[in-house]
Amino acid sequence: MPKSRVQESLLVTNCSQVLTLRGSAPRRGKALDGPDIIFDGAILIRNGLIAAIGPRRRIERLPESRRARKIDLAGRVVIPGFVDSHTHLIHPCSRATEYEQRISGATYEEIASAGGGILNSVRKLRAAPAAQLKSRGLAHLAQFAAHGTTTLEAKSGYGLDWPSERKILSLLRELNHDQPLEIVPTFLGAHVVPAEFRNRTGKTPEAYIDLICCEWLPRVAAENLAEFCDAFCDRGAFTVAQSRKVLTAAHACGLGLRLHAEQLARTGAARLAVQMHASSADHLEKLSASDIRALAKSNVTCTMLPGCCFHLGLAHYGPARQLIDAGAIVALATDFNPGTSPTLSMPMILSLACNQMRMTPAEAIAAATINPAYSLRRHDRIGSLEVGKFTDLAVFDVADYREIPYYFGVNHCSLTMKRGRIIYTH
Ligand SMILES: [Zn+2]
């Protein structure tokens, strides 16, 4: 479906609350808690963009509103569409067997060192036909839309050889064209060391890093296959020095930078993200107090992934509260992936953020919309509901926005709109 088709004017009206999130972006500290609500609001849409937004009585009186096609929301709540800034959209199948092993006591790292984990997905992805991966991706994208997501970042990283990494990034491009959600592609060649580079003469993890830096990244840039480069900098994945090498090469190729940081152990990855001016540092469960201060002073978005902690059954969640109070830019994402966070529901992530990380519902919504839009360098177009921006919005069948995280595990999204077009309704 083309994303830029010219449309008639459309009036979305009778909204009990419209959370606009308008104003300067990104939001830090106390600004995260002010969603800027229009009560009894309406939105006039022209050519996919917001033409007017405000109290219903004023918007409905506009001459263009009188001619417009009308959608009466009967008192539902409207928020900007969710921007999910960390997903592993393309993967071959679930890892429910490992889920059961973990319930029986095996840790994530024990499963990974026995050949499970990411390498399990890599083996299956390499063998999977592109058409099969695509239809699975399409089904997931429809589910993202059904939960109110309108833009998502998606990483490669289950290929770990050039044909397979390219297969994933090419699929993301195709999917971007073939369905209405916007997908922001990220190259994650440095996800883990592939099996063929472990303990073999001449084929060391360092040789793999060189391959990424000298051969794959230039190809990713030349073929315009990704906007960002990510690296998994953690115990059992890549060191700070290796990750620095990858991010330096990616920056030289013109890619934006993201980093999986401080999830399993504190390695110094968050400091690396600050030094490299990365757009985002993600996970951050093991941050120290001085890491929090350094991140708070930087423009790195701290992307919290509480779905991971929940699915792994961990008692400790990331220090979102301390990061917000220190003034950091905080975002929330699903980390949708088959091993550690098999959810694509941002409403569920909001519930976890509120209950487990003590974020307020308003903070959680800002962290799921305008701040991740900033981390994906799209805050001038999406992430808030303001005149001139794309009409990307999600409608919830609740009386008050705080009920979105309150009703955990239940999807109350009843309509999703991308660039002024309804892409989901029920
Ligand atoms: Zn991830």
Side-chain angles (χ1 to χ4, degrees), residues 86-88 118 153 155 158 188 191 230 232 260 263 282-283 305 308 334-337 340-341:
H86 184 139
T87 85
H88 303 256
I118 293 167
E153 183 258 17
K155 303 173 194 298
Y158 288 127
L188 178 58
H191 200 181
D230 193 348
F232 189 1
H260 280 66
Q263 179 192 11
D282 302 37
H283 282 293
L305 308 169
C308 238
T334 58
D335 192 11
F336 177 57
N337 80 82
T340 59
S341 189

Side-chain angles (χ1 to χ4, degrees), residues 153-231:
E153 183 258 17
K155 303 173 194 298
S156 67
Y158 288 127
L160 307 187
D161 61 26
W162 177 245
S164 307
E165 286 293 300
R166 191 172 183 279
K167 175 164 76 173
I168 297 170
L169 294 172
S170 304
L171 266 177
L172 293 175
R173 178 184 283 168
E174 267 183 54
L175 288 168
N176 225 345
H177 186 262
D178 293 353
Q179 58 76 52
L181 294 189
E182 185 179 11
I183 304 169
V184 182
T186 294
F187 172 63
L188 178 58
H191 200 181
V192 288
V193 179
E196 58 271 27
F197 282 84
R198 291 171 185 236
N199 309 318
R200 288 197 195 171
T201 321
K203 281 206 155 193
T204 60
E206 288 304 329
Y208 183 62
I209 293 289
D210 288 343
L211 189 61
I212 290 174
C213 295
C214 302
E215 294 189 27
W216 296 357
L217 273 168
R219 288 192 212 177
V220 167
E223 294 185 41
N224 205 13
L225 287 169
E227 274 184 51
F228 290 93
C229 176
D230 193 348

Side-chain angles (χ1 to χ4, degrees), residues 112-149:
S113 60
I118 293 167
L119 291 178
N120 181 1
S121 291
V122 169
R123 278 192 302 276
K124 288 176 179 147
L125 185 132
R126 287 177 178 178
Q132 185 186 313
L133 294 170
K134 185 174 178 180
S135 64
R136 190 175 168 83
L138 278 168
H140 286 142
L141 287 161
Q143 285 293 313
F144 273 103
H147 288 80
T149 296

